[in-house]
Amino acid sequence: MNKKLLAYFTFILLCFYGNFFSQTYQLTGNPVNTTGWDVVPAAVVNTDFIQLTGDLTGQVGGIKLNSPINLKYCDKWRVEFDFRIDGNGTPAYGRGDGFAFWYLANPPASYVTGGGLGIPANATGLMVGFDIFNNTTEGQMSKVHLLYGTNNTAGSNIEFNNTAGSTFHSPDLNPTQPFVGATYKHVEVLGEVDPANAANWIITLKIDNTTIINQSFAPSGTAVGMTQGYFGFSASTGAASARHSIKNVKVYTDKVAILQNSVSQSFCPNPTTGYGTANLTSFNSQFVANPANYTFTYYVLGNPTPIANPANYQFNTNTTISVRIKDNSGLLCDNPDGTITLSLAPFTANDATLTECNNNNAGTATFNLTSAVVTGVPGVTKKYYKTLNDLNTGTNEILNPASYTSAPGTVYVKVTTPQGCSGNAKITLAFYPQVVVTEATLRSCFLEANPSTASFNLTTANVTTLPGVIKKYYVTLADALSGTNEIVSPSIHISTSSVVYVRVTDTNGCFTITKINLIVLSPVFSSVLKDKTICIEDKTTLDAGPGFDSYEWSTGATTQSISNVPVGLYWVKLKTGTCITTQIVKVNPSSQPVISSIDVMNSSITVNVKGGTPAYKYSLDGITWQDSNVFNSLSRGDHKVFVKDSYDCEPVQIIVTVPNLINAITPNGDNVNDFIDYSALAYKKNVVLVIYDRYGNKLYEADKIRNFKWDGTAFGKKILTGTYWYTISWNENDKNNTPTQYTGWILVKNRE
């Protein structure tokens, strides 16, 4: 059976390679799942076990895989199962005969009852019997028989086969490990290639973890050279009866998983020898992801002798190499399915095209000439030239092929293999289609907080119709070209009327820059709406004028004008297109004139006015008005004076007193005209009487302390007879404390 027999791996094999999934054959479940197996009567599924025979005499049953397993390249195998033999037996013979598991070159055409344990005559392969009936003594026993060869003994009973080096018979295990009983026993069988003889297997068999077999077996008979077979179980009863059951059968058959079965490569022959040279080991990574974990052996297809120097394999004709891949851990079966097809052909380089971006219509692009795929041969050298003539003469080589700046056109490459073969190829330099953009303009209404600016949504600018582009925005062209200082919030870009730049990049990574003109729509004010000044008690009309799309006043009105407007502050929102301008307008109260002072002289008064808006009008009765501020020939006493300005508002008024005139005193002590007395004005504010000589020198002053009187003395002495000047000043009892001054003269006659 050559050196490989069974690929029965334990469940632990699944843990060694996380990316490897075993092809598993098993009989498990409740009821047992027999998919992929043939059940041979009298074997039946009984809940979680396979009942190979019932507790009857003369029965045979079995179960086998319905497809053969190729174990040619397996170095280890392992099988596990549980068995139970029970039943009533027969009075004369007890229970018998037993069961077997096997790996047979051909599926049994028939199963044999009795001592053959179901194994037919001349069956070839590995057979392990669990025998409970001694056909020599016709007594009960528990023995394990192993045959690695051909079952050619009488009665097909491997109990009697003693082929040297190929058989094993255990002692009777009834005293320590009887096979018959109500409980299941666990069996593990491990086979390994004998390192001392690759044709042999070291078989280890354990029952309930007790080693029964551990030795090397050589194939015999027709088992020599066997490469595939059918795995199965069988059991039989003869004159004795017993129920034979198995469950929890686990069989794992796997070989090294490879990424692909075949690879190929063309080699140019050495011009001198006509041979190609291939490093077969360089293909290892195309078969498995981690070549260091495996051992590779290479054969010329059909030749069993391994290639001695695979790193430098010489061939002069097209050759197919068979690759055998062995798992260094010894846990997986070898994989012999890999092939390397080597062909000899003159070397040719392939023309290629490189396409780059003509960014922003620059007219040139930077090409990586080394990225042009002109050959798949590894280890070649390449030299690049602008013209074919330069290539042929070996002049003007392009020294920066990885960053070659050029307009669209062609360059040429000379490719030389490690074997010295060379070929030329043309590299066409092309541009991707230009990113088509257009200049755009965005208009946006001014911001009230800063009317010279507006908020623009740059993303709405229609600069291209190309799908799938990426747009980025910049304040300057330099930033757009370098891709720096990008506008991070293009949907709310605050700007004056200016220009921004948009860099439009397509799905090829090519870009073009265009402008977006930003226009701030300035506020549009009414030229006719002006501030007004009216009398505080009046009302007026405010008119924003025609030409606006809509009006909204602070009063709630939506008309062009509003009427009956009193003094106050108003606004109107004027809509022009989509923009709204808020215009403030004031209705101011007119400033009332103020009577600043009153000058009284004899029977005339002069009214002095400030503030308001000239020209002023004056009146003594509020009915009859004059332009002059002087009133003559007034009687002594109080007079009401009215003043208004050009706004003709309610007049301001004041009461003016024309005092009684005293023109002469004779201070001689006769109590007749002895002094000037203006105490009658004491109800006025700040009344002061001042006496001057004719040179304007102040001689005397009388206020409240002197009771507003003068007796013709100055500095404690009588003055000379003569004429003197005097003034009487006071403040009227109005809200403005209007200053009033009366000027007059007096004759003083003093007797010497």
Side-chain angles (χ1 to χ4, degrees):
M1 187 172 156
N2 204 356
K3 69 168 187 172
K4 305 291 189 289
L5 227 166
L6 296 174
Y8 307 149
F9 294 94
T10 63
F11 183 74
I12 61 172
L13 291 181
L14 298 176
C15 303
F16 288 121
Y17 294 95
N19 62 348
F20 181 73
F21 295 86
S22 291
Q23 178 185 359
T24 303
Y25 301 95
Q26 54 186 346
L27 290 169
T28 57
N30 189 358
V32 176
N33 183 355
T34 59
T35 301
W37 298 76
D38 293 330
V39 180
V40 181
V44 293
V45 174
N46 189 338
T47 63
D48 66 343
F49 63 91
I50 301 294
Q51 180 179 292
L52 297 174
T53 66
D55 188 13
L56 299 170
T57 61
Q59 285 215 324
V60 64
I63 186 168
K64 69 175 183 65
L65 284 170
N66 56 23
S67 297
I69 301 173
N70 188 341
L71 303 174
K72 179 179 179 180
Y73 296 101
C74 287
D75 293 330
K76 281 186 180 180
W77 57 269
R78 186 180 178 96
V79 61
E80 297 182 35
F81 62 89
D82 298 329
F83 77 88
R84 179 182 65 189
I85 303 175
D86 60 359
N88 296 316
T90 58
Y93 298 106
R95 300 177 183 86
D97 281 282
F99 78 98
F101 82 85
W102 31 258
Y103 178 76
L104 300 180
N106 296 294
S110 62
Y111 292 81
V112 179
T113 62
L117 307 180
I119 302 173
N122 297 314
T124 295
L126 177 72
M127 293 151 273
V128 180
F130 294 80
D131 196 354
I132 60 174
F133 188 79
N134 191 324
N135 288 287
T136 300
T137 66
E138 296 190 347
Q140 302 296 302
M141 68 177 184
S142 295
K143 284 189 176 183
V144 176
H145 308 298
L146 185 148
L147 169 61
Y148 185 7
T150 302
N151 182 27
N152 55 8
T153 58
S156 304
N157 193 333
I158 64 174
E159 176 186 0
F160 301 129
N161 195 312
N162 292 294
T163 302
S166 301
T167 58
F168 171 85
H169 304 284
S170 76
D172 188 356
L173 300 176
N174 258 342
T176 56
Q177 290 182 291
F179 295 167
V180 177
T183 60
Y184 281 91
K185 296 182 180 297
H186 183 65
V187 177
E188 298 177 18
V189 183
L190 173 66
E192 297 181 80
V193 172
D194 189 340
N197 187 340
N200 292 5
W201 283 97
I202 297 174
I203 303 295
T204 303
L205 184 146
K206 296 180 181 180
I207 301 177
D208 287 341
N209 210 33
T210 298
T211 300
I212 307 300
I213 303 173
N214 185 18
Q215 67 183 62
S216 180
F217 294 88
S220 62
T222 55
V224 176
M226 176 181 171
T227 60
Q228 71 174 23
Y230 294 82
F231 176 76
F233 292 83
S234 62
S236 67
T237 62
S241 68
R243 184 173 67 161
H244 302 86
S245 306
I246 59 172
K247 69 175 181 178
N248 296 329
V249 177
K250 296 181 179 67
V251 179
Y252 304 95
T253 60
D254 298 290
K255 58 185 176 182
V256 171
I258 59 177
L259 302 174
Q260 57 186 334
N261 288 332
S262 63
V263 295
S264 61
Q265 186 168 316
S266 176
F267 292 81
C268 70
N270 186 297
T272 303
T273 65
Y275 277 80
T277 302
N279 179 1
L280 301 180
T281 66
S282 68
F283 296 95
N284 293 352
S285 61
Q286 298 185 52
F287 290 111
V288 292
N290 299 294
N293 294 335
Y294 304 91
T295 297
F296 296 80
T297 307
Y298 310 88
Y299 307 83
V300 174
L301 188 65
N303 187 336
T305 303
I307 294 172
N309 187 9
N312 188 32
Y313 176 66
Q314 307 285 321
F315 63 102
N316 62 357
T317 187
N318 295 344
T319 305
T320 299
I321 304 299
S322 176
V323 183
R324 177 180 168 189
I325 305 170
K326 177 182 177 62
D327 173 26
N328 290 340
S329 67
L331 297 172
L332 299 174
C333 301
D334 298 352
N335 193 321
D337 299 331
T339 59
I340 304 171
T341 301
L342 306 176
S343 59
L344 282 175
F347 175 76
T348 57
N350 303 313
D351 290 346
T353 297
L354 293 178
T355 307
E356 288 294 342
C357 297
N358 178 22
N359 284 330
N360 207 35
N361 295 312
T364 61
T366 300
F367 296 87
N368 181 359
L369 305 181
T370 65
S371 66
V373 181
V374 294
T375 182
V377 176
V380 299
T381 58
K382 304 173 190 176
K383 293 186 177 183
Y384 302 86
Y385 301 88
K386 293 181 180 180
T387 68
L388 187 58
N389 183 64
D390 285 346
L391 183 149
N392 291 330
T393 59
T395 58
N396 301 316
E397 180 184 355
I398 296 172
L399 300 179
N400 58 334
S403 57
Y404 179 63
T405 301
S406 173
T410 56
V411 295
Y412 297 87
V413 56
K414 182 175 183 179
V415 184
T416 304
T417 70
Q419 294 78 27
C421 303
S422 64
N424 303 337
K426 179 175 68 174
I427 302 175
T428 300
L429 306 180
F431 283 165
Y432 285 113
Q434 185 62 41
V435 181
V436 179
V437 297
T438 57
E439 187 174 320
T441 298
L442 292 179
R443 293 174 173 82
S444 187
C445 298
F446 66 94
L447 297 175
E448 286 195 2
N450 186 357
S452 65
T453 66
S455 178
F456 296 90
N457 185 352
L458 305 181
T459 64
T460 63
N462 186 18
V463 295
T464 184
T465 59
L466 293 176
V469 298
I470 297 173
K471 292 181 278 189
K472 294 186 177 182
Y473 305 86
Y474 304 87
V475 172
T476 68
L477 178 59
D479 284 346
L481 287 170
S482 63
T484 56
N485 302 315
E486 179 187 355
I487 296 172
V488 295
S489 300
S491 61
I492 48 170
H493 179 59
I494 308 301
S495 176
T496 59
S497 291
S498 59
V499 172
V500 295
Y501 298 86
V502 56
R503 177 171 170 151
V504 182
T505 305
D506 67 7
T507 54
N508 294 318
C510 304
F511 70 87
T512 300
I513 297 170
T514 187
K515 289 195 305 183
I516 303 175
N517 300 298
L518 305 181
I519 298 176
V520 177
L521 298 176
S522 301
V524 179
F525 293 97
S526 168
S527 61
V528 300
L529 184 62
K530 305 292 184 181
D531 290 349
K532 287 189 173 183
T533 301
I534 64 172
C535 298
I536 188 73
E537 69 277 6
D538 289 347
K539 294 185 179 180
T540 188
T541 295
L542 297 176
D543 189 347
F548 297 98
D549 295 327
S550 68
Y551 305 82
E552 181 186 350
W553 294 87
S554 54
T555 63
T558 56
T559 53
Q560 175 181 317
S561 62
I562 55 176
S563 303
N564 296 318
V565 178
V567 168
L569 182 68
Y570 301 88
W571 54 258
V572 61
K573 293 183 181 295
L574 305 172
K575 186 174 183 181
T576 304
T578 59
C579 300
I580 295 176
T581 301
T582 301
Q583 187 167 342
I584 305 295
V585 62
K586 297 178 183 178
V587 179
N588 298 308
S590 63
S591 298
Q592 288 186 308
V594 175
I595 299 174
S596 58
S597 64
I598 302 292
D599 294 330
V600 181
M601 183 171 288
N602 294 326
S603 60
S604 298
I605 64 172
T606 300
V607 182
N608 301 308
V609 179
K610 64 181 180 180
T613 304
Y616 304 113
K617 296 287 187 178
Y618 306 88
S619 174
L620 293 176
D621 57 9
I623 298 173
T624 303
W625 296 88
Q626 64 181 43
D627 294 331
S628 173
N629 65 338
V630 178
F631 295 94
N632 298 313
S633 302
L634 299 180
S635 62
R636 307 301 175 186
D638 292 337
H639 296 270
K640 187 176 290 188
V641 177
F642 298 86
V643 178
K644 62 182 180 180
D645 64 5
S646 61
Y647 280 100
D648 196 24
C649 299
E650 283 292 323
V652 296
Q653 57 182 304
I654 190 174
I655 296 175
V656 178
T657 301
V658 178
N660 185 32
L661 297 178
I662 301 174
N663 296 115
I665 60 171
T666 56
N668 56 8
D670 61 0
N671 293 325
V672 177
N673 290 331
D674 282 342
F675 49 83
I676 296 174
D677 182 359
Y678 281 106
S679 60
L681 296 175
Y683 70 95
K684 304 287 188 180
K685 298 178 182 176
N686 305 318
V687 178
V688 177
L689 170 64
V690 181
I691 309 298
Y692 302 92
D693 64 16
R694 62 180 178 174
Y695 302 109
N697 296 314
K698 181 178 177 180
L699 302 178
Y700 186 84
E701 182 178 301
D703 54 14
K704 184 177 181 180
I705 296 175
R706 291 178 172 173
N707 201 25
F708 317 109
K709 295 180 180 180
W710 181 49
D711 59 359
T713 63
F715 310 112
K717 296 180 179 180
K718 290 182 179 182
I719 63 173
L720 298 176
T721 297
T723 300
Y724 296 86
W725 295 94
Y726 69 92
T727 62
I728 305 171
S729 62
W730 66 87
N731 293 98
E732 293 291 351
N733 295 318
D734 58 13
K735 65 179 181 180
N736 294 322
N737 292 317
T738 304
T740 304
Q741 182 173 283
Y742 172 75
T743 302
W745 59 268
I746 187 171
L747 176 62
V748 179
K749 293 182 179 181
N750 273 321
R751 294 179 181 177
E752 302 298 331

